[in-house]
Amino acid sequence: MLDYLLRFPSKAIAEQFGIASGYAVDNEGVIETTLATHQYALHEIGEHFVGGDEETPATGDGQYWVLFRDIVGLPVPEGADQFIYWSSAWTVTDEDGSEIPVPRPENQPDVPSIFWA
């Protein structure tokens, strides 16, 4: 099982990628996303908003975020690499030369904090 955090420049680009990759369909101008199958699950986070208080409204990042969980090892669709912000498959080499997983980006103000458990 692999998790991906995807970041698209806009909702329209996310929808077009979803249609091209088979995760969404255009139903007479209404984009319908298939949120889960026996092979994957996805959650549309949408635009991520940062900050905000009683005096200043939160500011959107202008980008469209999606969580994608690959349950069975699906091939990564062509062109998807440019949208992958983080993957649970990513590793780095530590000072001992061992590969360790890249931790998911938590507690970063510019990244949505919605993650599956």
Side-chain angles (χ1 to χ4, degrees):
M1 181 171 58
L2 295 172
D3 288 340
Y4 297 94
L5 179 59
L6 306 169
R7 181 178 65 185
F8 296 90
S10 69
K11 181 178 182 178
I13 292 173
E15 290 173 338
Q16 291 306 309
F17 178 79
I19 292 168
S21 301
Y23 301 115
V25 295
D26 185 340
N27 187 5
E28 298 179 15
V30 176
I31 307 303
E32 296 176 353
T33 303
T34 303
L35 298 177
T37 69
H38 291 289
Q39 297 180 327
Y40 70 86
L42 67 86
H43 172 72
E44 295 180 55
I45 298 170
E47 186 174 2
H48 174 57
F49 286 82
V50 179
D53 56 30
E54 293 178 14
E55 298 176 19
T56 309
T59 304
D61 64 6
Q63 302 187 48
Y64 200 76
W65 296 79
V66 174
L67 287 171
F68 186 91
R69 175 164 281 170
D70 176 356
I71 300 169
V72 297
L74 298 168
V76 175
E78 186 175 330
D81 290 343
Q82 64 186 315
F83 304 120
I84 299 173
Y85 184 85
W86 171 83
S87 169
S88 63
W90 289 351
T91 61
V92 292
T93 304
D94 68 9
E95 59 274 353
D96 298 326
S98 300
E99 282 193 357
I100 58 171
V102 173
R104 60 187 193 187
E106 295 179 6
N107 301 319
Q108 296 180 16
D110 60 337
V111 178
S113 60
I114 300 171
F115 287 95
W116 286 295

